[in-house]
Amino acid sequence: MMLEQNSYHTRNTSSWTNDGTPIPEWVRIQMSGDMAVNGTFLIITPFGTARVHRGDIVIKHKGQLWSRHPEEVSHLIEGFEAEAALPITAIGPGKDAQFGTKSKVGQRRGRVGERKTQYREPTGKMPSIEWVHTTELAVDQSYQRSIDNEGSRRLIASIAANFDWRLCAPLVVSRRLDGSKIIIDGQHRWAAARRRGDVLQLPCCLFNYDSPEDEARMFIVANRARKPMNRLDDFHAALAAADEDAVEIQRLVTEAGLRVSRSTSSNTWKAGEIAFTSSIAAALRRHGSAIVSAALTSIAEAYEGRALSYGSSIFGALVKIFSNPPENFDPDDLVPTLKNVDLVSLGETVRRLNGGDSRALAVHSAMLVGLGLTAKSGAEIHG
């Protein structure tokens, strides 16, 4: 079953697509914070907060919210329907359901006229459960979350200092054809065990995936469902999974002489690194690759050898200039003008403003002053 555009509604279930249409009140009251500049936001789900990306569908079922990519919605809805069709019997403190014991199965079969729930075959093959030495495990940096950040370092240190086998759930691991064992989920537990030195083996569920791209897709599904991924984790995982939008962004960034950072912390950015992938995606959808390429190339030339702060605002301003060039605009004057922009002063201006478009407009005005040009009307600039 697939959801239609914006319209899966039953007595217990409603849906809304994050496609730029107004956020319904039943979503808004369960948002955690405001919508980000890139059009994403957090919602409260039964498993904590989850990020709703552009194009994702928010499902309300029995008062609880869920967020899924359109391709994943049918699985969620089928689960709701199966849950509704199956009687639930408590089996103890904290337990929600009685799985099929012989007595219950027999009782159900004996009920006249009751419909038997039909499930499709499980996807994938059953894993093997093994203890694996920490030296045999590795991660694929093409899609795995970066742990080179302060938050991850603190988490790893905490796990190592307070290691408790009762909290060490099995790691999800891919067994590749070459024999390597690649961690899909559990990187922090693995890093903590290696730090300690006395935890030599870890319990692992080993799966056989079709390819690294298949691993990356499963990584995205697992992490979006359980906890929010930051925008760069999401981008690099999507790139490894050969997502068309991510591949196009990577091509434009690389051709401009730039690269996408692995860290969202501006203090760690190196020269030539950018982090505004969501802004690039939005500009691609609205203006196309030629405008995006021109903006990225200008940034690469103007800030060569310099770490780029406030890159999203600068990029947004450049997109406005290239998509609606002011009268007498000479592209050859743009890079020299950008080189003369004081990033410290620019930062003070940007920090006082709320919203990505407001910041981009402020930078746009500063660029036009530097170019000795006059801004077009507000409607033209926003266009």
Side-chain angles (χ1 to χ4, degrees), residues 82-95:
E83 177 188 82
L86 198 62
I88 296 177
T89 305
I91 58 176
K95 303 298 183 181

Side-chain angles (χ1 to χ4, degrees), residues 269-284:
W269 294 342
K270 300 178 177 63
E273 288 188 341
I274 63 167
F276 46 88
T277 51
S278 298
S279 297
I280 296 174
L284 266 175

Side-chain angles (χ1 to χ4, degrees), residues 195-245:
R195 172 178 287 200
R196 286 183 62 95
D198 61 345
V199 177
L200 302 180
Q201 296 183 347
L202 290 170
C204 297
C205 287
L206 285 104
F207 295 83
N208 295 318
Y209 293 92
D210 294 334
S211 65
E213 290 79 10
D214 192 29
E215 293 174 6
R217 282 190 288 271
M218 295 308 298
F219 171 82
I220 294 172
V221 171
N223 282 277
R224 280 186 180 172
R226 186 185 61 203
K227 56 186 177 181
M229 298 168 64
N230 72 51
R231 63 184 185 278
L232 295 181
D233 288 335
D234 190 276
F235 170 78
H236 285 289
L239 181 63
D243 175 84
E244 290 184 6
D245 292 339

Side-chain angles (χ1 to χ4, degrees), residues 81-87 104-121:
E81 293 176 342
E83 177 188 82
L86 198 62
K104 289 294 179 183
V105 171
Q107 290 174 20
R108 282 198 294 274
R109 287 178 178 171
R111 293 173 186 166
V112 178
E114 183 168 345
R115 180 174 62 87
K116 182 180 178 182
T117 303
Q118 297 291 330
Y119 295 104
R120 63 183 177 187
E121 288 296 316

